[in-house]
Amino acid sequence: MLVVAVAWLIALATIAAPYADGTAATLVFLAGAGLAIFWAAQALVAWRRAVQRRQASEVPTDDGGAMALLWLAPVVVAAATVFWSLAGGGAGPGARAAAYAEAWWAGRAERASTDFVDTLAPATLEAAWARQSPRLRNLLVSAAAQAGPTGGIDPDRPFDSIRSTEEPGDGADATTRTIRLELVSRVPVRDSLFGILQTTSQRLEPVADIGTIELRLVRTPGPVEGLPRVESWRIVRVLALGETIGG
């Protein structure tokens, strides 16, 4: 069984990096979860056998071995958190667009430069962001003044007020998508429940158009001959706030 676990670990390490950033991210996660379960199961079986041998020899037993498995829980939780923090960016058009927006606001140009079909130089992204950021802030300040305090627009938290929606395609090409970015404000809507109880909800209303992110599903050979191709959504170009980034 140890040989199986080691082989499983080697196989996972081989496919994790390329597949985790694409549409197969969930499968990679499940493979890792399966390995953790398999490892824990082997430890539990070994503990039970040891207990049986002790009982046969009339040696006192305890639950120390089983309780020790609880230490695996925080390790699994931490590993899952790290995995989804780094992986899954290319699993879908929305995920890739969100990853780009987060990198933009955090100033991680080196990371975002690899999100494009044609990898950009980080300096190119930094220069474009330096021009876009003040334009976005001016737009947010103006929109916040018009929407008022209930509009939920905060110039210091720009992406809290930006909504991304996938534009409907014609269905002819399943490998391209366009994500539209809009600045929205919260508008209170008053209604009544059963015509008796007054209720208030909020509706997101577009305030300004930010731009679009065009994406393409890219397929590359697997890490090992015979494995399926790696599929990942990549950015073709970003057209926003007077800037065109990418091809």
PDB file of all heavy atoms in Angstrom, residues 82-123:
ATOM      1  N   VAL A  82      -4.772  26.886   0.607  1.00  0.00           N
ATOM      2  CA  VAL A  82      -3.651  27.306  -0.247  1.00  0.00           C
ATOM      3  C   VAL A  82      -3.915  26.916  -1.692  1.00  0.00           C
ATOM      4  O   VAL A  82      -3.658  27.697  -2.625  1.00  0.00           O
ATOM      5  CB  VAL A  82      -2.340  26.665   0.260  1.00  0.00           C
ATOM      6  CG1 VAL A  82      -1.209  26.913  -0.737  1.00  0.00           C
ATOM      7  CG2 VAL A  82      -1.966  27.226   1.621  1.00  0.00           C
ATOM      8  N   PHE A  83      -4.457  25.708  -1.892  1.00  0.00           N
ATOM      9  CA  PHE A  83      -4.712  25.243  -3.257  1.00  0.00           C
ATOM     10  C   PHE A  83      -5.657  26.184  -4.001  1.00  0.00           C
ATOM     11  O   PHE A  83      -5.363  26.644  -5.105  1.00  0.00           O
ATOM     12  CB  PHE A  83      -5.297  23.831  -3.232  1.00  0.00           C
ATOM     13  CG  PHE A  83      -5.648  23.289  -4.599  1.00  0.00           C
ATOM     14  CD1 PHE A  83      -4.683  22.676  -5.370  1.00  0.00           C
ATOM     15  CD2 PHE A  83      -6.937  23.404  -5.098  1.00  0.00           C
ATOM     16  CE1 PHE A  83      -4.991  22.185  -6.627  1.00  0.00           C
ATOM     17  CE2 PHE A  83      -7.258  22.925  -6.358  1.00  0.00           C
ATOM     18  CZ  PHE A  83      -6.279  22.303  -7.120  1.00  0.00           C
ATOM     19  N   TRP A  84      -6.808  26.499  -3.380  1.00  0.00           N
ATOM     20  CA  TRP A  84      -7.784  27.329  -4.081  1.00  0.00           C
ATOM     21  C   TRP A  84      -7.377  28.792  -4.120  1.00  0.00           C
ATOM     22  O   TRP A  84      -7.951  29.573  -4.899  1.00  0.00           O
ATOM     23  CB  TRP A  84      -9.159  27.170  -3.434  1.00  0.00           C
ATOM     24  CG  TRP A  84      -9.782  25.848  -3.748  1.00  0.00           C
ATOM     25  CD1 TRP A  84     -10.105  24.851  -2.871  1.00  0.00           C
ATOM     26  CD2 TRP A  84     -10.141  25.352  -5.047  1.00  0.00           C
ATOM     27  NE1 TRP A  84     -10.631  23.781  -3.544  1.00  0.00           N
ATOM     28  CE2 TRP A  84     -10.671  24.055  -4.881  1.00  0.00           C
ATOM     29  CE3 TRP A  84     -10.054  25.871  -6.339  1.00  0.00           C
ATOM     30  CZ2 TRP A  84     -11.126  23.281  -5.951  1.00  0.00           C
ATOM     31  CZ3 TRP A  84     -10.492  25.097  -7.408  1.00  0.00           C
ATOM     32  CH2 TRP A  84     -11.025  23.830  -7.207  1.00  0.00           C
ATOM     33  N   SER A  85      -6.398  29.189  -3.312  1.00  0.00           N
ATOM     34  CA  SER A  85      -5.868  30.550  -3.402  1.00  0.00           C
ATOM     35  C   SER A  85      -4.962  30.711  -4.620  1.00  0.00           C
ATOM     36  O   SER A  85      -4.850  31.804  -5.183  1.00  0.00           O
ATOM     37  CB  SER A  85      -5.078  30.903  -2.133  1.00  0.00           C
ATOM     38  OG  SER A  85      -5.915  30.889  -1.003  1.00  0.00           O
ATOM     39  N   LEU A  86      -4.326  29.621  -5.018  1.00  0.00           N
ATOM     40  CA  LEU A  86      -3.362  29.686  -6.114  1.00  0.00           C
ATOM     41  C   LEU A  86      -3.883  29.070  -7.404  1.00  0.00           C
ATOM     42  O   LEU A  86      -3.406  29.424  -8.494  1.00  0.00           O
ATOM     43  CB  LEU A  86      -2.066  28.963  -5.712  1.00  0.00           C
ATOM     44  CG  LEU A  86      -1.346  29.501  -4.470  1.00  0.00           C
ATOM     45  CD1 LEU A  86      -0.148  28.629  -4.134  1.00  0.00           C
ATOM     46  CD2 LEU A  86      -0.920  30.951  -4.690  1.00  0.00           C
ATOM     47  N   ALA A  87      -4.844  28.151  -7.300  1.00  0.00           N
ATOM     48  CA  ALA A  87      -5.284  27.396  -8.474  1.00  0.00           C
ATOM     49  C   ALA A  87      -6.675  27.823  -8.909  1.00  0.00           C
ATOM     50  O   ALA A  87      -7.352  28.604  -8.245  1.00  0.00           O
ATOM     51  CB  ALA A  87      -5.267  25.900  -8.166  1.00  0.00           C
ATOM     52  N   GLY A  88      -7.098  27.286 -10.039  1.00  0.00           N
ATOM     53  CA  GLY A  88      -8.453  27.510 -10.520  1.00  0.00           C
ATOM     54  C   GLY A  88      -8.671  28.814 -11.251  1.00  0.00           C
ATOM     55  O   GLY A  88      -9.793  29.128 -11.644  1.00  0.00           O
ATOM     56  N   GLY A  89      -7.604  29.606 -11.479  1.00  0.00           N
ATOM     57  CA  GLY A  89      -7.768  30.888 -12.158  1.00  0.00           C
ATOM     58  C   GLY A  89      -8.275  30.750 -13.585  1.00  0.00           C
ATOM     59  O   GLY A  89      -8.992  31.615 -14.081  1.00  0.00           O
ATOM     60  N   GLY A  90      -7.904  29.656 -14.248  1.00  0.00           N
ATOM     61  CA  GLY A  90      -8.324  29.461 -15.628  1.00  0.00           C
ATOM     62  C   GLY A  90      -9.450  28.472 -15.768  1.00  0.00           C
ATOM     63  O   GLY A  90      -9.732  27.996 -16.868  1.00  0.00           O
ATOM     64  N   ALA A  91     -10.139  28.163 -14.664  1.00  0.00           N
ATOM     65  CA  ALA A  91     -11.210  27.168 -14.715  1.00  0.00           C
ATOM     66  C   ALA A  91     -12.420  27.671 -15.491  1.00  0.00           C
ATOM     67  O   ALA A  91     -13.195  26.878 -16.011  1.00  0.00           O
ATOM     68  CB  ALA A  91     -11.623  26.768 -13.307  1.00  0.00           C
ATOM     69  N   GLY A  92     -12.598  28.962 -15.554  1.00  0.00           N
ATOM     70  CA  GLY A  92     -13.721  29.543 -16.278  1.00  0.00           C
ATOM     71  C   GLY A  92     -13.422  30.987 -16.631  1.00  0.00           C
ATOM     72  O   GLY A  92     -12.522  31.605 -16.049  1.00  0.00           O
ATOM     73  N   PRO A  93     -14.161  31.565 -17.580  1.00  0.00           N
ATOM     74  CA  PRO A  93     -13.915  32.967 -17.964  1.00  0.00           C
ATOM     75  C   PRO A  93     -14.056  33.923 -16.781  1.00  0.00           C
ATOM     76  O   PRO A  93     -13.244  34.836 -16.606  1.00  0.00           O
ATOM     77  CB  PRO A  93     -14.983  33.232 -19.029  1.00  0.00           C
ATOM     78  CG  PRO A  93     -15.409  31.891 -19.511  1.00  0.00           C
ATOM     79  CD  PRO A  93     -15.246  30.956 -18.367  1.00  0.00           C
ATOM     80  N   GLY A  94     -15.106  33.720 -15.962  1.00  0.00           N
ATOM     81  CA  GLY A  94     -15.308  34.597 -14.817  1.00  0.00           C
ATOM     82  C   GLY A  94     -14.194  34.498 -13.802  1.00  0.00           C
ATOM     83  O   GLY A  94     -13.782  35.507 -13.223  1.00  0.00           O
ATOM     84  N   ALA A  95     -13.695  33.276 -13.580  1.00  0.00           N
ATOM     85  CA  ALA A  95     -12.611  33.081 -12.619  1.00  0.00           C
ATOM     86  C   ALA A  95     -11.339  33.787 -13.091  1.00  0.00           C
ATOM     87  O   ALA A  95     -10.627  34.408 -12.296  1.00  0.00           O
ATOM     88  CB  ALA A  95     -12.344  31.596 -12.417  1.00  0.00           C
ATOM     89  N   ARG A  96     -11.044  33.692 -14.380  1.00  0.00           N
ATOM     90  CA  ARG A  96      -9.836  34.353 -14.908  1.00  0.00           C
ATOM     91  C   ARG A  96      -9.984  35.867 -14.837  1.00  0.00           C
ATOM     92  O   ARG A  96      -9.025  36.584 -14.478  1.00  0.00           O
ATOM     93  CB  ARG A  96      -9.585  33.917 -16.345  1.00  0.00           C
ATOM     94  CG  ARG A  96      -8.344  34.545 -16.971  1.00  0.00           C
ATOM     95  CD  ARG A  96      -7.083  34.127 -16.251  1.00  0.00           C
ATOM     96  NE  ARG A  96      -6.710  32.772 -16.609  1.00  0.00           N
ATOM     97  CZ  ARG A  96      -5.764  32.075 -15.990  1.00  0.00           C
ATOM     98  NH1 ARG A  96      -5.127  32.591 -14.956  1.00  0.00           N
ATOM     99  NH2 ARG A  96      -5.474  30.846 -16.362  1.00  0.00           N
ATOM    100  N   ALA A  97     -11.162  36.391 -15.164  1.00  0.00           N
ATOM    101  CA  ALA A  97     -11.384  37.830 -15.100  1.00  0.00           C
ATOM    102  C   ALA A  97     -11.264  38.332 -13.662  1.00  0.00           C
ATOM    103  O   ALA A  97     -10.684  39.393 -13.406  1.00  0.00           O
ATOM    104  CB  ALA A  97     -12.760  38.179 -15.671  1.00  0.00           C
ATOM    105  N   ALA A  98     -11.808  37.557 -12.711  1.00  0.00           N
ATOM    106  CA  ALA A  98     -11.717  37.946 -11.301  1.00  0.00           C
ATOM    107  C   ALA A  98     -10.271  37.924 -10.822  1.00  0.00           C
ATOM    108  O   ALA A  98      -9.845  38.805 -10.066  1.00  0.00           O
ATOM    109  CB  ALA A  98     -12.573  37.015 -10.451  1.00  0.00           C
ATOM    110  N   ALA A  99      -9.506  36.923 -11.244  1.00  0.00           N
ATOM    111  CA  ALA A  99      -8.101  36.835 -10.859  1.00  0.00           C
ATOM    112  C   ALA A  99      -7.317  38.030 -11.394  1.00  0.00           C
ATOM    113  O   ALA A  99      -6.445  38.579 -10.709  1.00  0.00           O
ATOM    114  CB  ALA A  99      -7.500  35.528 -11.368  1.00  0.00           C
ATOM    115  N   TYR A 100      -7.645  38.444 -12.615  1.00  0.00           N
ATOM    116  CA  TYR A 100      -6.964  39.613 -13.198  1.00  0.00           C
ATOM    117  C   TYR A 100      -7.302  40.873 -12.407  1.00  0.00           C
ATOM    118  O   TYR A 100      -6.414  41.673 -12.096  1.00  0.00           O
ATOM    119  CB  TYR A 100      -7.384  39.780 -14.656  1.00  0.00           C
ATOM    120  CG  TYR A 100      -6.872  41.062 -15.282  1.00  0.00           C
ATOM    121  CD1 TYR A 100      -5.562  41.144 -15.753  1.00  0.00           C
ATOM    122  CD2 TYR A 100      -7.685  42.187 -15.396  1.00  0.00           C
ATOM    123  CE1 TYR A 100      -5.083  42.323 -16.318  1.00  0.00           C
ATOM    124  CE2 TYR A 100      -7.223  43.358 -15.953  1.00  0.00           C
ATOM    125  CZ  TYR A 100      -5.913  43.423 -16.413  1.00  0.00           C
ATOM    126  OH  TYR A 100      -5.443  44.600 -16.959  1.00  0.00           O
ATOM    127  N   ALA A 101      -8.583  41.056 -12.056  1.00  0.00           N
ATOM    128  CA  ALA A 101      -8.988  42.244 -11.311  1.00  0.00           C
ATOM    129  C   ALA A 101      -8.317  42.292  -9.941  1.00  0.00           C
ATOM    130  O   ALA A 101      -7.858  43.348  -9.492  1.00  0.00           O
ATOM    131  CB  ALA A 101     -10.513  42.258 -11.155  1.00  0.00           C
ATOM    132  N   GLU A 102      -8.237  41.144  -9.271  1.00  0.00           N
ATOM    133  CA  GLU A 102      -7.588  41.095  -7.963  1.00  0.00           C
ATOM    134  C   GLU A 102      -6.101  41.426  -8.073  1.00  0.00           C
ATOM    135  O   GLU A 102      -5.541  42.138  -7.234  1.00  0.00           O
ATOM    136  CB  GLU A 102      -7.771  39.709  -7.352  1.00  0.00           C
ATOM    137  CG  GLU A 102      -9.209  39.403  -6.943  1.00  0.00           C
ATOM    138  CD  GLU A 102      -9.403  37.967  -6.516  1.00  0.00           C
ATOM    139  OE1 GLU A 102      -8.389  37.218  -6.503  1.00  0.00           O
ATOM    140  OE2 GLU A 102     -10.535  37.579  -6.195  1.00  0.00           O
ATOM    141  N   ALA A 103      -5.452  40.900  -9.119  1.00  0.00           N
ATOM    142  CA  ALA A 103      -4.035  41.188  -9.316  1.00  0.00           C
ATOM    143  C   ALA A 103      -3.814  42.666  -9.619  1.00  0.00           C
ATOM    144  O   ALA A 103      -2.830  43.267  -9.166  1.00  0.00           O
ATOM    145  CB  ALA A 103      -3.485  40.322 -10.446  1.00  0.00           C
ATOM    146  N   TRP A 104      -4.731  43.256 -10.390  1.00  0.00           N
ATOM    147  CA  TRP A 104      -4.635  44.676 -10.731  1.00  0.00           C
ATOM    148  C   TRP A 104      -4.679  45.523  -9.459  1.00  0.00           C
ATOM    149  O   TRP A 104      -3.815  46.365  -9.234  1.00  0.00           O
ATOM    150  CB  TRP A 104      -5.777  45.035 -11.684  1.00  0.00           C
ATOM    151  CG  TRP A 104      -5.882  46.506 -12.025  1.00  0.00           C
ATOM    152  CD1 TRP A 104      -4.947  47.471 -11.786  1.00  0.00           C
ATOM    153  CD2 TRP A 104      -6.984  47.154 -12.665  1.00  0.00           C
ATOM    154  NE1 TRP A 104      -5.396  48.692 -12.226  1.00  0.00           N
ATOM    155  CE2 TRP A 104      -6.639  48.530 -12.775  1.00  0.00           C
ATOM    156  CE3 TRP A 104      -8.211  46.721 -13.142  1.00  0.00           C
ATOM    157  CZ2 TRP A 104      -7.505  49.453 -13.355  1.00  0.00           C
ATOM    158  CZ3 TRP A 104      -9.064  47.655 -13.727  1.00  0.00           C
ATOM    159  CH2 TRP A 104      -8.711  49.006 -13.833  1.00  0.00           C
ATOM    160  N   TRP A 105      -5.679  45.281  -8.601  1.00  0.00           N
ATOM    161  CA  TRP A 105      -5.822  46.102  -7.413  1.00  0.00           C
ATOM    162  C   TRP A 105      -4.683  45.867  -6.428  1.00  0.00           C
ATOM    163  O   TRP A 105      -4.270  46.783  -5.712  1.00  0.00           O
ATOM    164  CB  TRP A 105      -7.163  45.820  -6.748  1.00  0.00           C
ATOM    165  CG  TRP A 105      -7.453  46.716  -5.590  1.00  0.00           C
ATOM    166  CD1 TRP A 105      -7.693  46.349  -4.307  1.00  0.00           C
ATOM    167  CD2 TRP A 105      -7.508  48.140  -5.603  1.00  0.00           C
ATOM    168  NE1 TRP A 105      -7.902  47.460  -3.515  1.00  0.00           N
ATOM    169  CE2 TRP A 105      -7.788  48.578  -4.284  1.00  0.00           C
ATOM    170  CE3 TRP A 105      -7.337  49.098  -6.597  1.00  0.00           C
ATOM    171  CZ2 TRP A 105      -7.913  49.924  -3.955  1.00  0.00           C
ATOM    172  CZ3 TRP A 105      -7.449  50.447  -6.256  1.00  0.00           C
ATOM    173  CH2 TRP A 105      -7.733  50.844  -4.953  1.00  0.00           C
ATOM    174  N   ALA A 106      -4.143  44.645  -6.389  1.00  0.00           N
ATOM    175  CA  ALA A 106      -3.053  44.336  -5.467  1.00  0.00           C
ATOM    176  C   ALA A 106      -1.689  44.709  -6.044  1.00  0.00           C
ATOM    177  O   ALA A 106      -0.676  44.607  -5.348  1.00  0.00           O
ATOM    178  CB  ALA A 106      -3.076  42.848  -5.103  1.00  0.00           C
ATOM    179  N   GLY A 107      -1.660  45.101  -7.314  1.00  0.00           N
ATOM    180  CA  GLY A 107      -0.398  45.483  -7.943  1.00  0.00           C
ATOM    181  C   GLY A 107       0.503  44.311  -8.272  1.00  0.00           C
ATOM    182  O   GLY A 107       1.725  44.489  -8.368  1.00  0.00           O
ATOM    183  N   ARG A 108      -0.073  43.127  -8.477  1.00  0.00           N
ATOM    184  CA  ARG A 108       0.728  41.938  -8.788  1.00  0.00           C
ATOM    185  C   ARG A 108       0.818  41.758 -10.305  1.00  0.00           C
ATOM    186  O   ARG A 108       0.215  40.856 -10.891  1.00  0.00           O
ATOM    187  CB  ARG A 108       0.134  40.709  -8.116  1.00  0.00           C
ATOM    188  CG  ARG A 108       0.171  40.758  -6.594  1.00  0.00           C
ATOM    189  CD  ARG A 108      -0.109  39.390  -5.990  1.00  0.00           C
ATOM    190  NE  ARG A 108      -1.455  38.937  -6.288  1.00  0.00           N
ATOM    191  CZ  ARG A 108      -2.496  39.111  -5.483  1.00  0.00           C
ATOM    192  NH1 ARG A 108      -2.340  39.749  -4.331  1.00  0.00           N
ATOM    193  NH2 ARG A 108      -3.687  38.661  -5.805  1.00  0.00           N
ATOM    194  N   ALA A 109       1.572  42.628 -10.936  1.00  0.00           N
ATOM    195  CA  ALA A 109       1.673  42.602 -12.398  1.00  0.00           C
ATOM    196  C   ALA A 109       2.375  41.338 -12.887  1.00  0.00           C
ATOM    197  O   ALA A 109       2.027  40.804 -13.949  1.00  0.00           O
ATOM    198  CB  ALA A 109       2.420  43.839 -12.895  1.00  0.00           C
ATOM    199  N   GLU A 110       3.353  40.870 -12.139  1.00  0.00           N
ATOM    200  CA  GLU A 110       4.090  39.680 -12.570  1.00  0.00           C
ATOM    201  C   GLU A 110       3.173  38.467 -12.645  1.00  0.00           C
ATOM    202  O   GLU A 110       3.269  37.666 -13.577  1.00  0.00           O
ATOM    203  CB  GLU A 110       5.250  39.405 -11.615  1.00  0.00           C
ATOM    204  CG  GLU A 110       6.160  38.271 -12.077  1.00  0.00           C
ATOM    205  CD  GLU A 110       7.407  38.160 -11.222  1.00  0.00           C
ATOM    206  OE1 GLU A 110       7.622  39.031 -10.357  1.00  0.00           O
ATOM    207  OE2 GLU A 110       8.166  37.204 -11.432  1.00  0.00           O
ATOM    208  N   ARG A 111       2.255  38.362 -11.689  1.00  0.00           N
ATOM    209  CA  ARG A 111       1.317  37.242 -11.702  1.00  0.00           C
ATOM    210  C   ARG A 111       0.283  37.397 -12.813  1.00  0.00           C
ATOM    211  O   ARG A 111      -0.019  36.447 -13.530  1.00  0.00           O
ATOM    212  CB  ARG A 111       0.617  37.131 -10.346  1.00  0.00           C
ATOM    213  CG  ARG A 111      -0.403  36.006 -10.274  1.00  0.00           C
ATOM    214  CD  ARG A 111      -0.982  35.883  -8.887  1.00  0.00           C
ATOM    215  NE  ARG A 111      -1.993  34.834  -8.819  1.00  0.00           N
ATOM    216  CZ  ARG A 111      -2.656  34.507  -7.711  1.00  0.00           C
ATOM    217  NH1 ARG A 111      -2.391  35.140  -6.578  1.00  0.00           N
ATOM    218  NH2 ARG A 111      -3.554  33.559  -7.736  1.00  0.00           N
ATOM    219  N   ALA A 112      -0.261  38.604 -12.985  1.00  0.00           N
ATOM    220  CA  ALA A 112      -1.300  38.830 -13.989  1.00  0.00           C
ATOM    221  C   ALA A 112      -0.762  38.738 -15.411  1.00  0.00           C
ATOM    222  O   ALA A 112      -1.514  38.432 -16.337  1.00  0.00           O
ATOM    223  CB  ALA A 112      -1.943  40.193 -13.774  1.00  0.00           C
ATOM    224  N   SER A 113       0.525  38.981 -15.602  1.00  0.00           N
ATOM    225  CA  SER A 113       1.092  38.956 -16.955  1.00  0.00           C
ATOM    226  C   SER A 113       0.993  37.585 -17.594  1.00  0.00           C
ATOM    227  O   SER A 113       0.934  37.463 -18.819  1.00  0.00           O
ATOM    228  CB  SER A 113       2.553  39.411 -16.919  1.00  0.00           C
ATOM    229  OG  SER A 113       3.348  38.496 -16.168  1.00  0.00           O
ATOM    230  N   THR A 114       0.938  36.533 -16.794  1.00  0.00           N
ATOM    231  CA  THR A 114       0.841  35.175 -17.323  1.00  0.00           C
ATOM    232  C   THR A 114      -0.603  34.756 -17.570  1.00  0.00           C
ATOM    233  O   THR A 114      -0.851  33.646 -18.048  1.00  0.00           O
ATOM    234  CB  THR A 114       1.493  34.169 -16.359  1.00  0.00           C
ATOM    235  OG1 THR A 114       0.819  34.214 -15.089  1.00  0.00           O
ATOM    236  CG2 THR A 114       2.962  34.501 -16.155  1.00  0.00           C
ATOM    237  N   ASP A 115      -1.572  35.615 -17.249  1.00  0.00           N
ATOM    238  CA  ASP A 115      -2.978  35.304 -17.479  1.00  0.00           C
ATOM    239  C   ASP A 115      -3.378  35.506 -18.936  1.00  0.00           C
ATOM    240  O   ASP A 115      -4.489  35.128 -19.325  1.00  0.00           O
ATOM    241  CB  ASP A 115      -3.875  36.184 -16.595  1.00  0.00           C
ATOM    242  CG  ASP A 115      -3.788  35.807 -15.119  1.00  0.00           C
ATOM    243  OD1 ASP A 115      -3.286  34.709 -14.816  1.00  0.00           O
ATOM    244  OD2 ASP A 115      -4.231  36.614 -14.285  1.00  0.00           O
ATOM    245  N   PHE A 116      -2.503  36.096 -19.731  1.00  0.00           N
ATOM    246  CA  PHE A 116      -2.827  36.412 -21.117  1.00  0.00           C
ATOM    247  C   PHE A 116      -2.413  35.280 -22.057  1.00  0.00           C
ATOM    248  O   PHE A 116      -1.505  34.506 -21.759  1.00  0.00           O
ATOM    249  CB  PHE A 116      -2.122  37.706 -21.538  1.00  0.00           C
ATOM    250  CG  PHE A 116      -2.719  38.946 -20.913  1.00  0.00           C
ATOM    251  CD1 PHE A 116      -2.449  39.279 -19.596  1.00  0.00           C
ATOM    252  CD2 PHE A 116      -3.555  39.777 -21.645  1.00  0.00           C
ATOM    253  CE1 PHE A 116      -3.003  40.409 -19.011  1.00  0.00           C
ATOM    254  CE2 PHE A 116      -4.108  40.909 -21.077  1.00  0.00           C
ATOM    255  CZ  PHE A 116      -3.835  41.230 -19.751  1.00  0.00           C
ATOM    256  N   VAL A 117      -3.108  35.209 -23.179  1.00  0.00           N
ATOM    257  CA  VAL A 117      -2.743  34.224 -24.211  1.00  0.00           C
ATOM    258  C   VAL A 117      -1.301  34.446 -24.629  1.00  0.00           C
ATOM    259  O   VAL A 117      -0.507  33.501 -24.717  1.00  0.00           O
ATOM    260  CB  VAL A 117      -3.689  34.352 -25.424  1.00  0.00           C
ATOM    261  CG1 VAL A 117      -3.207  33.452 -26.564  1.00  0.00           C
ATOM    262  CG2 VAL A 117      -5.118  33.985 -25.028  1.00  0.00           C
ATOM    263  N   ASP A 118      -0.954  35.695 -24.911  1.00  0.00           N
ATOM    264  CA  ASP A 118       0.434  36.068 -25.197  1.00  0.00           C
ATOM    265  C   ASP A 118       0.963  36.777 -23.948  1.00  0.00           C
ATOM    266  O   ASP A 118       0.561  37.911 -23.656  1.00  0.00           O
ATOM    267  CB  ASP A 118       0.517  36.998 -26.412  1.00  0.00           C
ATOM    268  CG  ASP A 118      -0.005  36.316 -27.678  1.00  0.00           C
ATOM    269  OD1 ASP A 118       0.315  35.135 -27.883  1.00  0.00           O
ATOM    270  OD2 ASP A 118      -0.749  36.974 -28.430  1.00  0.00           O
ATOM    271  N   THR A 119       1.835  36.102 -23.219  1.00  0.00           N
ATOM    272  CA  THR A 119       2.340  36.635 -21.953  1.00  0.00           C
ATOM    273  C   THR A 119       2.915  38.027 -22.130  1.00  0.00           C
ATOM    274  O   THR A 119       3.701  38.279 -23.056  1.00  0.00           O
ATOM    275  CB  THR A 119       3.412  35.695 -21.368  1.00  0.00           C
ATOM    276  OG1 THR A 119       2.841  34.399 -21.176  1.00  0.00           O
ATOM    277  CG2 THR A 119       3.910  36.215 -20.043  1.00  0.00           C
ATOM    278  N   LEU A 120       2.511  38.933 -21.236  1.00  0.00           N
ATOM    279  CA  LEU A 120       2.986  40.313 -21.306  1.00  0.00           C
ATOM    280  C   LEU A 120       4.159  40.529 -20.359  1.00  0.00           C
ATOM    281  O   LEU A 120       4.338  39.785 -19.388  1.00  0.00           O
ATOM    282  CB  LEU A 120       1.862  41.278 -20.932  1.00  0.00           C
ATOM    283  CG  LEU A 120       0.590  41.250 -21.786  1.00  0.00           C
ATOM    284  CD1 LEU A 120      -0.424  42.228 -21.229  1.00  0.00           C
ATOM    285  CD2 LEU A 120       0.907  41.583 -23.233  1.00  0.00           C
ATOM    286  N   ALA A 121       4.929  41.546 -20.633  1.00  0.00           N
ATOM    287  CA  ALA A 121       5.974  41.954 -19.699  1.00  0.00           C
ATOM    288  C   ALA A 121       5.302  42.636 -18.515  1.00  0.00           C
ATOM    289  O   ALA A 121       4.411  43.476 -18.697  1.00  0.00           O
ATOM    290  CB  ALA A 121       6.955  42.907 -20.376  1.00  0.00           C
ATOM    291  N   PRO A 122       5.684  42.292 -17.286  1.00  0.00           N
ATOM    292  CA  PRO A 122       5.072  42.941 -16.120  1.00  0.00           C
ATOM    293  C   PRO A 122       5.140  44.463 -16.175  1.00  0.00           C
ATOM    294  O   PRO A 122       4.201  45.144 -15.735  1.00  0.00           O
ATOM    295  CB  PRO A 122       5.888  42.383 -14.955  1.00  0.00           C
ATOM    296  CG  PRO A 122       6.360  41.050 -15.430  1.00  0.00           C
ATOM    297  CD  PRO A 122       6.633  41.236 -16.895  1.00  0.00           C
ATOM    298  N   ALA A 123       6.211  44.996 -16.739  1.00  0.00           N
ATOM    299  CA  ALA A 123       6.343  46.450 -16.832  1.00  0.00           C
ATOM    300  C   ALA A 123       5.262  47.059 -17.717  1.00  0.00           C
ATOM    301  O   ALA A 123       4.798  48.181 -17.472  1.00  0.00           O
ATOM    302  CB  ALA A 123       7.728  46.817 -17.367  1.00  0.00           C
TER     303      ALA A 123
END
